[in-house]
């Protein structure tokens, strides 16, 4: 079993809490855009936002990966967006884990703010699709690491 470390520098175990999801099968682009939005939100606000994304009431603005993305009305005043339901569900699970870790440490979850939310590429699942005349084409799937750090706001 590999030993994973967090990329967040300056972690204080007395006032901060962290959670991660490793080797999750979601879109890396959608995960990056969701993490960019929820960074700085409180846990309750981030959970409400992700539940609205799953119900397709609120769109996630796609700021970097915006080519050929349809326009969506959003509270973030950005034209390109979407409803990445699968990524939102997995990130919501990590947020619930972050909240549980905070409760276990005895921190106040109502004042908890997400100060670090990041995604990184994980392992590549290699697969090949057979083609005509004995050839094959690669069909690789990149898994994603999600990590979050929360801090109790004063």
């Amino acid at each position: 079993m590999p030993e994973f470390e967090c990329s967040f520098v300056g972690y204080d175990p007395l006032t901060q809490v962290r959670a991660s999801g490793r080797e999750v099968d979601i879109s890396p682009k959608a995960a990056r855009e969701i993490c960019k939005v929820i960074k700085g939100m409180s846990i309750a606000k981030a959970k409400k936002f992700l539940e609205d994304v799953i119900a397709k009431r609120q769109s996630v603005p796609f700021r970097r990966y915006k080519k050929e993305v349809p326009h969506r009305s959003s509270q973030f005043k950005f034209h390109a967006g979407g409803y990445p339901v699968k990524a939102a569900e997995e990130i919501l699970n990590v947020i619930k884990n972050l909240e549980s870790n905070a409760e276990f440490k005895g921190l106040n979850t109502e004042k908890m703010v997400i100060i670090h939310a990041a995604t990184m590429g994980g392992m590549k699942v290699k697969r090949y699709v057979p083609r005509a005349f004995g050839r094959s084409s690669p069909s690789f799937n990149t898994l994603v690491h999600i990590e979050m750090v929360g801090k109790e706001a004063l």
Side-chain angles (χ1 to χ4, degrees):
M1 198 72 187
E3 289 287 327
F4 293 112
E5 293 190 20
C6 187
S7 65
F8 182 70
V9 180
Y11 176 71
D12 180 21
L14 296 176
T15 60
Q16 296 173 351
V17 65
R18 63 183 168 194
S20 64
R22 301 293 178 174
E23 307 281 333
V24 182
D25 188 11
I26 58 174
S27 165
K29 295 179 179 182
R32 184 251 180 217
E33 299 291 356
I34 291 173
C35 284
K36 182 78 173 162
V37 171
I38 65 172
K39 184 178 176 181
M41 286 186 181
S42 66
I43 287 183
K45 190 174 176 183
K47 283 171 67 175
K48 173 79 169 90
F49 171 73
L50 292 174
E51 288 165 359
D52 287 347
V53 170
I54 292 167
K56 297 188 178 181
R57 288 190 296 262
Q58 176 64 47
S59 67
V60 176
F62 279 40
R63 296 181 188 274
R64 177 179 291 178
Y65 304 105
K66 60 188 173 195
K67 291 187 179 178
E68 298 182 17
V69 176
H71 289 208
R72 301 277 187 242
S73 61
S74 173
Q75 68 179 8
F76 299 102
K77 306 290 187 248
F78 197 76
H79 60 277
Y83 303 103
V85 174
K86 188 176 174 184
E89 288 172 350
E90 292 295 335
I91 292 175
L92 184 60
N93 289 340
V94 175
I95 289 177
K96 288 178 181 175
N97 192 357
L98 183 76
E99 188 176 27
S100 297
N101 292 347
E103 286 176 2
F104 180 76
K105 276 190 171 183
L107 301 174
N108 188 358
T109 57
E110 294 172 359
K111 293 183 178 181
M112 190 70 56
V113 175
I114 299 170
I115 59 171
H116 173 75
T119 61
M120 283 148 286
M123 183 181 74
K124 281 193 185 292
V125 178
K126 296 186 177 183
R127 193 170 70 94
Y128 294 91
V129 177
R131 306 302 294 265
F133 304 108
R135 296 176 299 134
S136 64
S137 296
S139 176
F140 296 166
N141 182 18
T142 303
L143 302 179
V144 177
H145 299 307
I146 307 163
E147 53 186 43
M148 291 189 190
V149 176
K151 182 178 182 180
E152 193 175 12
L154 300 177

